[in-house]
Structure formats: C-alpha cells, structure tokens
C-alpha cells in the first residue's frame, strides 16, 4: 500500500481500507437483524438528545461558522502551526516525534514503550491508534495493550471490530455486552445483570488495578494548541484521567490536522464537540496538559505527530475540508445508510458519511475498494446539516465519485454499459425533440409490464434497480403529449 | 531526510495552490449580563441533571456541610493550599490526610482514602462545568481522581454563564481538569449511566461570601 503517485503525497496505511465493494459488504451486514435493531435504537436516542442540546444555544450557527473558519485557517497555515506547537510543547519538557505513516508511528511507540522496560500499556480511546493498528503491532512486539474506554473494552474483550468512532460497540446491546463480560473477564460476578450501571461497575472493577499500577499510557488527543503547546482529551468515564495522570510515561499519537492556532479556540470546540457527539451540554471530563508539570502527572511525556495520508487529503483542494473533522460522529448518527448497514460495512476505521470521504482521501481513490465508498450515500445532506464544522460531505462525495469514474475510465478499452447509458441519457435529455421521440416508446413499456402492470426485471446493469423493487407500468402517453392535447382541446 | 522535513515538505506541496482562508468570524456569545441569582439557578439545574449533589450555602456553613457530606467517610485527602477551617467540623473518626509538595500521598494511599475536598477555579453555568486548574487549593490532579467521592467547593463569585467568559480566568499551562458531573458513560446503547472510573459521587457546595 505504499504506492507513490507523481506529485501526490503518499497515501495512508493501516486500517483505512474497504477490502470488498461497499454494496457487497452492506448486503451482508443488512442480514444482521439484531445489529440493525441495536443501531436503530442507539442512533435515534442520540439524534433526539443532540437536537435538544443544540437547540438550547441561540448562537449554534455562529459557533459552527467560527469552528469551520478556525479549521480552514489552520489547514491553510498547517506548517507554521505545527512548528509553533512543537516549539511550545518542547519548551515545556515534552518530546515531539514525527511519523510519515502507520509503520513509522508504530515503531516509534514501540521503542518508547520498550525504553521504559514495561511489557504492558493502558490506553485511552484513540482513533489515530486504531487507524494505525497500534494494538496489533504492540502484540507482535510482546507488549500487551489494555483498552480502558468501556466501548473499546467491549470490542477488545469480544475480539470484535469497532463500528462507530465514538461508541465502537454501538452494534452490541446490553445483553450482548453482559454475555461478553461473563465470558471474557477473568474475575466477574456470575450473577451480573444487563443493567448498564452494573456493566459499568464490572468494567470499573476489571480495570481498577491496571490503572493504579500502570507505568505507561497511550492516548490520542482531541486537539493541540499551537500557541501554548497544550494537548486536550475529552472523555466521560474517568479512564482518560486515570491514564493521563497516574502513569510515569505518557505517549500521545495525534494526526497533524488536530492542531488549533490559539488557546481561546477551545471555547468554540468545547461547545461544539460534546453537544454534537454524546448530545450532552458538556462531557463529564476534559483534561488539558502542557508538556511536563513538575509534581503532577507523567514526567516522561511524548507526542507522535502522524501524517499517514493526511497530506494527501490536504492536496485535494475540493476534499481537504474533510480534515476539519473533529470526530464527533454526528454525521453517522443521522445517516440513513449508516443506520442500516452499520459501521463494519465501510471497512475502514472511519465509517459513516465522514468515513466515506476521509478513507479514500487518505489512501487515494484507486486503492483497494475505497472507490466504492463515496457511493455509500443517498446524498440526502443530513450529515452536512449535523456537522459542527460544516464539512460539505455531499459535495465531497460527488467530487470523489467523479475521481472514481476518472480513475476507472482508462481501465476499459470498450465503452461500458454505464458509459453507453450516460451517452444515451445525454442525447435524450439534451433536446426536447429527442426526449419526445423516446417517449413514443412508452406503450412498449406498458406491453412489457404485462397483466400485473409491473415491470419486474430490467436487462443489464439496470437489473440492479429491479432486484429489490418493481417499476409500475408507464402511462400510455407522456406528460408533454398530454399537455399539448389539453391545450388543443381548450 | 528526516520525517519532520518530509512531512512539512508534503504540506508545502499539498498547499501549492495557496488557499486563502477567511478571517475567523467570532459572532458567538462572549459575554453575558446574567445576574447572580439566575447564575446559581442555572448551575444548580445543570449539576442536578448530571446527578451531582448540590447545596447553596454561606461561607460560615462550610464546616458543617463538609462534615455532613463526609459522614460515612473514614479518611479524606486535601491539597496543601485548602483552608483547613473548612474541615474543622469533621469528627475524629475521619482521618485527615494532607497532600503537599515534598509530602505526596502514593497512589495506593489515595486509593485507600474515601474522599477528597478541593476548591475550584471557575465554573460555567450554561454547561454545568467546574474547572480545576491546579491552584494550591485544588492540588494535583491525582487527588481529585482516585478517591471515590469528591466534595468540591465552588465560590459563587467564580461562576460565569458562558465558556468564553471562563477562559481568561484560567492558568493556561498548568494541568487542568474540567468536571461536569460524576464520571459517566454513554457506551451502552448511547444511554447515559453515572459512575465508572472517576469519582462516582460528586458533591458541590456553592458558597456565598468566598
């Protein structure tokens, strides 16, 4: 996956790939009725909560405008902001590492952990480390990684894959979670019920000793502030605080696009993020740290700044705003496609509408089956409305569909059915006369529809349309013919 | 070429079209003229929603209320800068442990401590957020994290309505913890449940005259 294209930065590696075409994966996932029920329940719960807390703020749109503009400004001056962040973080005793791709980031983290002599690490939920497959890499190096976020724990114990960026176990309901805990936790009350409070308590007991004895923690970061060198993690359970406070060594892996110019900018994002993600006015805990603080928290503090395809996305002038994403998950919670297929159908660490643009932008559209992701949408636009930083996801989806068509065009010597259909469409819709000529064939359609007045099977690629629905018999004349008849009769 | 140089070079070539970003419009609310009584009501409403305990009291009542909140505790930790008068109502049954520079409690000792009492830097009424920024009356982060019960003093004079109003009051480069209720999770079916790894009980004493 390390193809380098002329004039184009290298694409990302790791868990960013759809390995089969989206429609095929979606078809399989749609068969999982339990998952669909769970997802429907969860996404509908969160939609209502989000609307309530967003509706409370009279200046929500102004906050979105500011958030979007801060991100655009950051991306336009990314080099300066990163240099500034490095200078300030370093001045406060932190150590900055740079990683071109997933492999390099994994190697850096492994060496840092090995240098401490520790054979295990505790982890705060992090999309970046999921993206680079850090846990799997550490395992091959003999280092055990313990996920401490409840949903990540459920996924890790169940040998499962995350299906949502905020709540990776969203596809599991409470009973399934209890069953995983009963089976996989070494010490657990055999009478554990499926009450969420009891499940949370079981997780507390399971992880308590780990937190109190851990020497090394690995985290992501929700933002980095260039002008102060500060990092921030937004969380709910207190597992983040445990990891960020108690161990001696803290290693943070963060995408280069997460930097913000000024300390004051978090007043915007800390209003946008919690309300968009969990539908709360504020998340229970936010931790901010600036390098090393004498006598408070880890004394050995590192950050790995990760590219892994981000510069490639930045080079796409129509798609670069996808990097503005703050990983709130509002777009997947409102998406009619995600609600039905679930996150696994997208293959990549990043599912849902944002994943459908981000994954191909990070890797390149032509890699694996990522070219099928921009079609995983009805273009209804709900994601754009929900996005707290106003990423125009539908527009980027259409742009990437164009890229996909262009990338595939050269592969075929003969025009494909789609090419012919599009040519025909352009002829028919280009001139009223041509369309009128075509409409003369309507009675033929009535003939095809038979006694039931339904067309049940179309030929060629159009068969996809009739695979799951019938087409009603066409009327015996077109609207245009009917209109001119009406006019004449008056 | 170092990884840093290569990444910065990729950024330069990615931005070869020299995109021009607009000035950041900051039309959102930055100040509020909400009166004290309304601020108190708003913060109480938010904290109760998060399932925190809340009492609005006068400064003279602090020892009595701290003692009542810690009725079942066997020990309490407090940061070295805390007004020890606030703990003067505690009986002999509650062991008092100070956490001071040069005399830090170990993680194991904190784990055996029932509760912690701290002050706070500033609170945001609209979101129900109490911010600790490591002042000596709040202490280092571990003491307000490991014990399972946090009694937090919020001077009413430190309450603002909006997050942007809180920002200038914070010490930027000291570690900060923003607390909005006791620890919670929405990870099971996206329903909020209180009580995971952080303190499972949060009692807030909002104090007039501090």
């Amino acid at each position: 996956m390390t193809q380098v294209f002329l004039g184009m930065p290298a694409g990302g590696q790791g868990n960013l790939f759809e390995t089969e075409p989206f429609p095929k994966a979606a078809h399989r996932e749609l068969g999982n009725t339990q998952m669909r029920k769970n997802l429907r329940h969860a996404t509908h719960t969160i939609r209502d909560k989000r609307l309530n807390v967003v509706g409370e703020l009279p200046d929500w749109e102004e906050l979105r405008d500011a958030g979007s503009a801060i991100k655009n400004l950051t991306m336009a001056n990314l080099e300066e902001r990163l240099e500034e962040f490095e200078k300030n973080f370093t001045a406060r005793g932190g150590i900055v590492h740079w990683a071109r791709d997933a492999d390099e980031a994994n190697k850096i983290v492994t060496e840092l952990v090995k240098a401490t002599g520790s054979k295990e690490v505790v982890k705060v939920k992090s999309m970046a480390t999921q993206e680079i497959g850090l846990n799997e890499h550490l395992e091959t190096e003999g280092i055990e990684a313990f996920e401490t976020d409840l949903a990540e724990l459920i996924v890790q114990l169940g040998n499962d894959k995350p299906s949502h960026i905020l709540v990776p176990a969203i596809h599991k309901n409470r009973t399934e979670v209890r069953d995983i805990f009963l089976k996989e936790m070494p010490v657990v009350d055999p009478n554990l019920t499926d009450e969420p409070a009891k499940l949370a308590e079981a997780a507390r007991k399971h992880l308590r000793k780990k937190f109190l004895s851990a020497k090394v923690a690995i985290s992501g970061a929700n933002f980095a502030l260039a002008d102060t060198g500060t990092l921030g993690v937004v969380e709910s359970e207190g597992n983040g605080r445990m990891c960020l406070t108690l161990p001696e060594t803290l290693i943070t892996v963060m995408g280069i696009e997460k930097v913000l110019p000024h300390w004051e900018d978090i007043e915007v994002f800390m209003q946008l993020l919690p309300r968009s993600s969990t539908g709360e006015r504020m998340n229970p805990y936010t931790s901010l740290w600036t390098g090393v603080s004498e006598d408070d928290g880890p004394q050995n503090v590192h950050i790995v700044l990760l590219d892994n395809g981000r510069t490639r996305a930045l080079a796409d002038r129509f798609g670069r705003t996808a990097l503005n994403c703050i990983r709130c998950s509002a777009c997947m919670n409102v998406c009619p496609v995600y609600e039905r297929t679930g996150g696994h159908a997208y293959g990549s660490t990043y599912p849902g509408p944002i994943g459908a643009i981000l994954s191909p932008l990070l890797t390149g559209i032509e890699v694996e089956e990522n070219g099928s992701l921009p079609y995983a949408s009805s273009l209804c636009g709900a994601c754009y409305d929900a996005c707290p930083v106003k990423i125009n996801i539908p527009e980027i989806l259409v742009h990437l569909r164009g890229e996909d068509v262009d990338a595939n065009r050269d592969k075929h010597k003969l025009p494909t059915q789609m090419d012919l259909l599009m040519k025909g469409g352009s002829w028919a819709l280009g001139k009223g006369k041509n369309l009128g000529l075509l409409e003369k064939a309507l009675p033929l359609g009535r003939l095809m529809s038979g006694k039931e007045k339904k067309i049940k099977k179309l030929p060629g690629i159009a068969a996809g349309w009739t695979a799951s629905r019938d087409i009603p018999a066409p009327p015996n004349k077109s609207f245009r013919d009917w209109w001119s008849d009406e006019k004449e009769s008056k | 070429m170092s990884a840093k140089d290569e990444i910065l070079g990729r950024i330069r070539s990615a931005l070869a079209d020299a995109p021009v970003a607009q000035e950041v419009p900051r039309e959102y609310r930055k100040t509020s003229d909400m009166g004290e009584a309304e601020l108190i009501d708003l913060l109480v409403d938010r904290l109760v929603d998060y399932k925190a305990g809340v009492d609005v009291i006068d400064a003279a009542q602090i020892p009595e209320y701290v003692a009542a909140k810690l009725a079942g505790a066997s020990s309490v930790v407090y940061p070295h800068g805390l007004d020890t008068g606030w703990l003067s109502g505690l009986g002999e049954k509650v062991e008092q442990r100070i956490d001071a520079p040069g005399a830090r409690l170990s993680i194991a000792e904190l784990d055996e401590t029932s509760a912690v009492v701290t002050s706070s830097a500033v609170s945001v009424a609209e979101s129900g957020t109490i911010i600790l920024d490591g002042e000596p009356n709040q202490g280092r982060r571990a003491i307000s994290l490991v014990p399972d019960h946090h009694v937090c003093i919020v001077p009413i004079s430190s309450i603002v309505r909006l997050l942007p109003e809180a920002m200038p009051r914070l010490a930027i480069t000291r570690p900060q913890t923003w607390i909005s209720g006791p620890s919670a999770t929405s990870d099971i079916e996206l329903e909020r449940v209180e009580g995971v790894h952080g303190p499972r009980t949060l009692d807030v004493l909002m104090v007039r005259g501090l």
Side-chain angles (χ1 to χ4, degrees):
Chain A
M1 241 37 81
T2 46
Q3 296 151 281
V4 177
F5 299 90
L6 205 62
M8 183 65 85
Q13 324 163 336
N15 300 319
L16 288 172
F17 302 102
E18 179 71 301
T19 48
E20 59 188 335
F22 180 82
K24 205 174 156 198
H27 202 259
R28 187 187 53 243
E29 297 296 321
L30 284 169
N32 186 344
T33 47
Q34 182 64 56
M35 178 209 72
R36 288 178 64 181
K37 244 189 229 161
N38 298 347
L39 268 179
R40 190 182 147 77
H41 171 69
T43 53
H44 285 249
T45 307
I46 194 70
R47 280 178 207 178
D48 295 342
K49 280 169 78 178
R50 190 188 77 87
L51 285 176
N52 284 340
V53 295
V54 163
E56 262 177 26
L57 294 189
D59 53 351
W60 182 251
E61 289 308 319
E62 286 79 7
L63 286 165
R64 287 178 82 206
D65 286 337
S68 168
I70 291 168
K71 283 290 189 178
N72 287 338
L73 189 65
T74 308
M75 296 312 157
N77 302 285
L78 191 56
E79 185 183 358
E80 291 86 341
R81 292 292 83 76
L82 288 168
E83 296 252 39
E84 189 186 354
F85 171 79
E86 180 180 41
K87 189 177 119 241
N88 289 319
F89 190 76
T90 307
R92 293 266 170 188
I95 299 169
V96 178
H97 310 261
W98 299 74
R100 297 173 184 89
D101 52 35
D103 281 350
E104 192 166 18
N106 285 333
K107 277 187 196 126
I108 293 169
V109 175
T110 305
E111 269 163 38
L112 290 173
V113 177
K114 282 188 173 165
T116 67
S118 185
K119 289 278 178 202
E120 56 181 51
V121 298
V122 284
K123 280 191 71 206
V124 194
K125 182 175 153 30
S126 137
M127 295 313 298
T129 60
Q130 181 67 40
E131 172 189 325
I132 63 177
L134 179 64
N135 292 4
E136 295 75 10
H137 180 82
L138 289 176
E139 199 184 331
T140 63
E141 299 278 350
I143 298 164
E144 204 172 353
F146 293 90
E147 290 291 351
T148 64
D149 167 78
L150 179 52
E152 290 282 6
L153 178 70
I154 296 165
V155 168
Q156 195 177 39
L157 287 176
N159 269 320
D160 200 353
K161 275 184 168 178
S163 73
H164 188 276
I165 62 174
L166 177 75
V167 193
I170 194 171
H171 56 290
K172 297 284 185 207
N173 67 18
R174 58 188 71 189
T175 312
E176 294 170 292
V177 173
R178 183 202 53 190
D179 294 346
I180 291 171
F181 280 11
L182 283 177
K183 194 163 156 245
E184 302 294 340
M185 281 183 174
V187 182
V188 65
D189 175 4
N191 298 316
L192 183 67
T193 67
D194 65 1
E195 219 179 306
K198 295 285 174 217
L199 297 171
E201 194 182 351
R204 179 184 168 100
K205 284 187 181 145
H206 176 71
L207 286 170
R208 186 81 183 170
K209 263 199 197 128
K210 280 274 170 274
F211 285 134
L212 301 183
S213 62
K215 298 280 176 245
V216 184
I218 296 174
S219 83
N222 290 91
F223 42 76
L225 306 169
D227 64 346
T228 59
T230 304
L231 291 171
V233 162
V234 175
E235 50 126 2
S236 298
E237 298 164 18
N239 64 311
R241 292 177 70 190
M242 290 281 182
C243 293
L244 301 170
T245 310
L246 301 182
E248 293 158 5
T249 299
L250 171 61
I251 305 163
T252 302
V253 181
M254 186 187 83
I256 51 173
E257 82 284 17
K258 287 275 170 280
V259 69
L260 294 173
H262 305 297
W263 151 246
E264 293 82 11
D265 293 332
I266 60 175
E267 74 189 21
V268 175
F269 292 97
M270 287 310 296
Q271 294 192 72
L272 290 172
L273 179 57
R275 288 177 199 258
S276 299
S277 59
T278 49
E280 294 172 297
R281 297 185 177 106
M282 189 65 88
N283 51 292
Y285 299 131
T286 297
S287 296
L288 302 173
W289 70 99
T290 307
V292 177
S293 300
E294 199 192 335
D295 223 15
D296 188 349
Q299 297 299 299
N300 186 14
V301 175
H302 298 264
I303 185 166
V304 180
L305 294 171
L306 176 72
D307 180 352
N308 204 38
R310 282 158 180 78
T311 49
R312 188 186 169 100
L314 189 67
D316 185 329
R317 66 173 72 184
F318 302 105
R320 62 169 62 118
T321 52
L323 293 174
N324 296 0
C325 173
I326 57 173
R327 310 283 191 265
C328 71
S329 73
C331 63
M332 53 203 76
N333 294 337
V334 299
C335 178
V337 176
Y338 176 87
E339 179 191 332
R340 287 164 179 84
T341 66
H344 292 153
Y346 296 80
S348 160
T349 293
Y350 304 104
I354 188 65
I357 58 173
L358 198 55
S359 307
L361 281 165
L362 291 173
T363 63
I365 193 90
E366 65 294 320
V367 180
E368 297 270 350
E369 297 293 341
N370 279 8
S372 70
L373 289 173
Y375 301 94
S377 168
S378 64
L379 301 180
C380 74
C383 48
Y384 182 27
D385 286 343
C387 179
V389 289
K390 299 177 85 167
I391 300 170
N392 192 335
I393 296 176
E395 194 176 274
I396 301 177
L397 285 166
V398 172
H399 159 65
L400 291 173
R401 289 179 187 186
E403 296 266 286
D404 176 58
V405 170
D406 289 343
N408 282 317
R409 184 170 290 128
D410 302 337
K411 286 190 196 161
H412 311 283
K413 282 204 177 118
L414 291 170
T416 62
Q417 282 188 52
M418 181 63 92
D419 293 337
L420 294 173
L421 266 175
M422 287 295 158
K423 272 222 167 83
S426 133
W427 174 84
L429 299 173
K431 265 190 189 158
K433 221 199 252 170
N434 294 354
L435 189 61
L437 205 64
L438 204 68
E439 283 163 358
K440 299 280 181 240
L442 280 176
L444 195 71
R446 286 179 75 78
L447 204 66
M448 271 176 70
S449 64
K451 276 189 201 148
E452 286 180 68
K453 304 262 184 267
K454 278 178 188 156
I455 299 174
K456 294 194 161 175
K457 200 165 184 242
L458 287 173
I461 59 165
W465 180 265
T466 47
S468 51
R469 45 175 117 50
D470 297 332
I471 299 177
N476 48 20
K477 61 174 146 181
S478 71
F479 175 80
R480 295 146 58 90
D481 288 345
W482 173 84
W483 182 248
S484 57
D485 291 353
E486 279 290 291
K487 268 203 299 197
E488 274 169 27
S489 67
K490 278 199 178 147
Chain B
M1 201 192 295
S2 75
K4 177 184 172 182
D5 290 340
E6 190 169 336
I7 293 169
L8 294 182
R10 289 175 183 179
I11 292 173
R12 272 192 298 277
S13 72
L15 296 172
D17 61 319
V20 181
Q22 60 161 146
E23 276 283 302
V24 176
R26 293 184 189 265
E27 304 296 319
Y28 54 86
R29 294 169 301 156
K30 300 201 82 165
T31 55
S32 156
D33 51 9
M34 189 176 264
E36 187 179 285
E38 282 176 285
L39 281 177
I40 294 171
D41 285 350
L42 190 59
L43 182 56
V44 169
D45 175 76
R46 299 322 196 214
L47 290 170
V48 168
D49 184 47
Y50 294 145
K51 310 264 190 328
V54 193
D55 293 276
V56 182
I57 61 174
D58 293 321
Q61 296 173 288
I62 296 178
E64 174 199 337
Y65 271 82
V66 168
K69 296 295 167 196
L70 297 181
S74 59
S75 54
V76 61
V77 56
Y78 65 95
H80 69 283
L82 195 84
D83 182 343
T84 48
W86 294 354
L87 306 176
S88 60
L90 293 175
E92 288 195 352
K93 276 192 285 179
V94 186
E95 186 200 333
Q96 297 184 23
R97 301 171 170 175
I98 184 171
D99 186 73
R104 294 301 188 195
L105 296 186
S106 69
I107 295 173
E109 284 168 323
L110 286 174
D111 190 37
E112 288 160 6
T113 306
S114 337
V116 54
V117 179
T118 72
S119 189
S120 57
V122 53
S123 294
V124 181
E126 196 172 71
S127 64
T129 305
I130 300 166
I131 302 182
L132 309 190
D133 71 353
E135 279 279 341
N137 62 6
Q138 298 150 39
R140 63 193 175 111
R141 289 171 291 168
I143 66 165
S144 51
L145 170 64
V146 180
D148 203 13
H149 183 182
H150 185 186
V151 178
C152 188
I153 309 288
V154 170
I156 282 171
S157 57
S158 73
I159 304 174
V160 295
R161 181 183 183 184
L162 306 170
L163 182 56
E165 293 176 296
M167 304 297 287
R169 299 190 182 203
L170 295 168
I172 298 167
T173 50
R174 267 204 310 251
Q176 288 183 21
T177 308
W178 300 15
I179 297 172
S180 307
S183 80
T185 181
S186 304
D187 279 357
I188 298 165
E189 300 179 9
L190 275 167
E191 281 174 21
R192 183 175 162 122
V193 187
E194 282 74 20
V196 201
H197 304 295
R200 287 181 287 184
T201 308
L202 174 66
D203 281 313
V204 180
L205 299 178
M206 288 165 56
V207 184
R208 288 193 192 88
L210 274 188

